């Protein structure tokens, strides 16, 4: 991890954490529109505010990453895929939380994506299986907004409290989540989900299906 002045193409080509053979590169800037002091990251950072007073904009050279509201990966989180984020409104639509204090790479285990959502904790109740697709509204596919447990069978996903990928975000890396507290939620509410895309993996188009199992 270094901190220096420069342009985005000076990001270090180091191996980061979070994926087999993956390279992670991210730069944060003190002010909006990529101005001011620049801090470069190629691995997890528990407190970027030790390097700069604030985070006003971000460039993700390669990722994906997840940024957190508070140090030590605490508070509200924001998924940051490859691209430019010139101001806070480009990484969140929440008016009450927009600061970024810590970052870590997101694990991407494969190019395939499969997610199981369950109505009740412990993988009980109605089940929805999502395969290689993004779902802007669970309601539109006959599934309610109550999601109390989940299994990320393949790939990395992000869930949102509201339809249209709005509201608080929750990350699902490969594994089992028996209770909504396991993904940092205070209530079992998710209304939309999408795949976190690694631009190196996803060169092809993706087609998917939805299955609702009672």
């Amino acid at each position: 991890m270094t901190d220096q002045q420069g342009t985005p193409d000076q990001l270090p080509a180091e191996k980061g954490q979070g994926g087999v053979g993956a390279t992670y590169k991210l730069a944060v800037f003190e002010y909006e529109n990529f101005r001011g002091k620049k801090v470069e990251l190629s691995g997890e950072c528990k407190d970027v505010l030790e390097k700069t007073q604030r985070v006003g904009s971000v460039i993700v050279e390669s990722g994906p990453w997840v940024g957190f509201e508070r140090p030590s990966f605490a508070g509200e989180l924001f998924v940051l895929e490859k691209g430019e984020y010139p101001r806070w409104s480009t990484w969140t639509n929440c008016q009450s939380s927009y600061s970024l204090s810590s970052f870590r790479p997101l694990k991407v285990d494969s190019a395939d994506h499969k997610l199981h959502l369950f109505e009740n904790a412990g993988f009980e109740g109605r089940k929805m299986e999502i395969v290689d697709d993004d779902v802007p509204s669970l309601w539109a596919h006959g599934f309610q907004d109550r999601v109390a447990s989940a299994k990320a069978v393949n790939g990395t996903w992000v869930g949102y409290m509201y339809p249209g990928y709005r509201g608080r975000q929750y990350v699902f890396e490969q594994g089992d989540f028996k209770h909504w507290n396991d993904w940092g939620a205070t209530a079992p509410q998710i209304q939309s989900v999408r795949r976190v895309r690694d631009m190196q993996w996803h060169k092809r188009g993706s087609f998917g299906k939805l299955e609702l199992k009672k």
Side-chain angles (χ1 to χ4, degrees), residues 55-56 58 67-69 76-80 84-100 160 162 164-169 194:
V55 176
V58 178
F68 294 82
E69 177 187 11
E76 189 166 355
L77 63 84
F78 311 95
V79 173
L80 302 168
E84 297 184 346
Y85 302 83
R87 64 187 306 270
W88 68 268
S89 60
T90 56
W91 65 73
T92 178
N93 52 32
C94 179
Q95 298 290 333
S96 62
S97 177
Y98 54 85
S99 61
L100 291 173
Y160 298 81
Y162 305 118
Y165 317 121
R166 295 179 299 108
R168 197 176 183 99
Q169 302 177 26
R194 69 175 181 85

Side-chain angles (χ1 to χ4, degrees), residues 45-49 55 68-72 99-103:
C45 177
K46 291 185 177 181
D47 190 359
V48 76
L49 299 183
V55 176
F68 294 82
E69 177 187 11
R70 298 198 294 271
S72 299
S99 61
L100 291 173
S101 300
S102 52
F103 297 86

Side-chain angles (χ1 to χ4, degrees), residues 1-64:
M1 179 169 53
T2 62
D3 107 17
Q4 57 179 289
Q5 299 289 336
T7 55
D9 59 2
Q10 292 175 325
L11 289 162
E14 300 175 26
K15 294 292 182 182
Q17 304 168 27
V20 179
T23 300
Y24 291 88
K25 293 182 287 185
L26 175 146
V28 302
F29 297 82
E30 187 177 8
Y31 303 118
E32 293 181 359
N33 298 314
F34 320 116
R35 296 178 296 108
K37 187 176 183 180
K38 177 183 178 183
V39 177
E40 299 174 333
L41 305 177
S42 57
E44 68 176 32
C45 177
K46 291 185 177 181
D47 190 359
V48 76
L49 299 183
E50 292 179 347
K51 297 284 188 179
T52 183
Q53 291 186 346
R54 64 189 297 272
V55 176
S57 50
V58 178
I59 292 177
V60 178
E61 180 82 359
S62 59

Side-chain angles (χ1 to χ4, degrees), residues 115-130 135 137-139 142-152 157-162 170-172 177-193 212:
L115 179 69
H116 294 166
L117 303 177
F118 299 86
E119 180 182 17
N120 300 324
F123 316 120
E124 299 292 334
R126 301 178 75 207
K127 173 186 174 183
M128 183 176 187
E129 181 179 81
I130 306 168
V135 184
S137 172
L138 299 185
W139 279 97
F143 200 78
Q144 69 286 359
D145 63 348
R146 179 182 170 85
V147 178
S149 55
K151 291 185 178 183
W157 299 76
V158 55
Y160 298 81
M161 284 189 69
Y162 305 118
Y170 306 107
V171 166
F172 298 92
F177 302 82
K178 294 183 178 181
H179 191 276
W180 60 88
N181 293 157
D182 292 344
W183 61 77
T186 56
Q189 179 179 332
I190 290 178
Q191 295 189 26
S192 54
V193 296
L212 184 62

